[in-house]
Structures are given as structure tokens and as C-alpha cells.
Amino acid sequence: MLIFSQNLANYGLPIPEDAIFRVNLAWVNSLKELEVILGKHRSHQIFLDLPASRTKPPNNKYDIDDLIPIIKSNPNIKYFAVSNIHSVDDLKIYLDTIPKHVTIVPKIESADGVANVEQITDALGNNKILMLDHDDLYSSITKSKQPALKFLECFNKLVDYCNNHNVVLLRTIGVIFSDQERRITDYVG
């Protein structure tokens, strides 16, 4: 899987036709703006990313009931990622409401999420994909006063589990830096 972030589109970088276009709802100011973004990228499969329980900026929040009609009217939305999945209980509402043609992708961002990875992936059915947020995992470990080495332990446990259980693990590969902001969210002043 090759997934390109919506932020690349702000810089005019070409998105390959076979790439999946990720829309991180944290960076989308309104549902109307989401519809515009989706309209521009109808030729791509869409990876919609919900920042559930996100506290760092930007933290635009959307109700799942408001997103369901948009998901249903955009059949190219193929993936739905959800932040801060610590256990299968955090997934329940999404498993019950997201249309079945959409693959739910839990984002693992805590030691609890890593400890509960088996129950989380068991709930996903046949298409098992997880997303790891390295920075948030590290932050949650250090905020809970656990030693920083716990990060490496959790990371290795998660990678090993995924490798041994046919689970796709999505990770950030590289970042683009720029001295010219192309503002896409209202949170930046």
C-alpha cells in the first residue's frame, strides 16, 4: 500500500493514480470542505482518517453519524482509520456503523493498544490493517512515566505480532519539510 497525505496536494505534487489518497480529518475544517476534497480526488481510493480523542492541534472533531452519509455517497472511500484504539471496546461503534465495503484501520498509539493487539485485530475480520503512530506511542509511554525503552519494546512487539499474523502495519516513511506554509486548516494562526 502506498498512501499519500492530503497535505501533498497543497504543494502541487502529483499523486500517482494507483496511490491511495489519505484525508486526515484533523486537517479538515468542515464537512463541506471534506466534500470538496473528496470531489477533487474521485479517481483515487480514499483513506479517511478520524482523529478520535485527539488532543494535539489540529483537533477538528467530527461525529461518526455526520460522516456515515459522506462515506456512503463516496464509494471510493475504502479505508477508515481511527486514532487512539486501546482495546476492542474502542472499535465497537465503528465496527457497528461503518459500511462493510470500508476497511477499518485502528491506529495504535499506546502501550495498551499494543498489549491488546490480538483482540483488536481479531475484531477486524479478514482484512487486517493497523496503523502505527510512532510519535504518539512514544509520547503516551513517556507521559505515563514509563521508561523510554518501553517504546522500543512496544514497537518490536507490534511489528513481530503483525509479521507473524498476516497483519499489515502501516508506518510513516519520511516527511516533507518546507519554509512555505500552504495553510489547510484554521488552527494555524
Side-chain angles (χ1 to χ4, degrees):
M1 293 178 83
L2 189 58
I3 303 170
F4 283 69
S5 172
Q6 80 222 43
N7 293 335
L8 291 175
N10 296 330
Y11 292 89
L13 297 171
I15 309 291
E17 284 303 314
D18 61 342
I20 299 167
F21 190 74
R22 176 178 175 244
V23 178
N24 185 341
L25 291 168
W27 294 91
V28 177
N29 296 314
S30 68
L31 294 174
K32 184 175 181 173
E33 183 178 314
L34 173 60
E35 291 279 11
V36 169
I37 292 169
L38 293 173
K40 288 180 182 176
H41 298 281
R42 292 217 183 276
S43 65
H44 288 101
Q45 289 186 16
I46 300 293
F47 187 103
L48 198 58
D49 193 336
L50 179 67
S53 303
R54 181 179 170 118
T55 56
K56 65 184 179 184
N59 62 356
N60 293 318
K61 296 186 182 350
Y62 296 96
D63 188 278
I64 190 65
D65 293 330
D66 294 331
L67 294 173
I68 293 300
I70 294 171
I71 294 169
K72 287 181 177 178
S73 66
N74 289 276
N76 60 326
I77 296 175
K78 300 295 185 186
Y79 304 93
F80 187 83
V82 184
S83 298
N84 296 303
I85 300 299
H86 307 287
S87 74
V88 72
D89 293 337
D90 297 326
L91 272 180
K92 192 154 191 52
I93 188 172
Y94 307 104
L95 293 170
D96 292 342
T97 58
I98 297 296
K100 299 302 177 209
H101 76 278
V102 177
T103 299
I104 297 174
V105 181
K107 291 175 74 174
I108 305 300
E109 302 173 287
S110 68
D112 287 342
V114 173
N116 294 318
V117 68
E118 184 172 2
Q119 67 166 240
I120 291 168
T121 56
D122 284 351
L124 297 176
N126 293 330
N127 202 2
K128 297 176 188 309
I129 303 173
L130 297 176
M131 191 174 211
L132 169 63
D133 188 316
H134 299 88
D135 295 341
D136 287 347
L137 175 60
Y138 183 82
S139 294
S140 74
I141 287 169
T142 57
K143 282 180 186 174
S144 65
K145 308 285 187 223
Q146 296 178 65
L149 286 175
K150 177 79 173 175
F151 168 78
L152 192 53
E153 177 187 320
C154 286
F155 175 82
N156 288 331
K157 180 179 177 181
L158 185 61
V159 169
D160 289 345
Y161 179 85
C162 291
N163 287 339
N164 293 322
H165 292 87
N166 293 324
V167 176
V168 173
L169 181 61
L170 301 174
R171 297 181 264 178
T172 306
I173 308 296
V175 177
I176 293 178
F177 291 87
S178 174
D179 66 342
Q180 299 173 356
E181 180 187 345
R182 304 278 165 81
R183 185 169 300 165
I184 57 165
T185 186
D186 292 338
Y187 102 94
V188 180

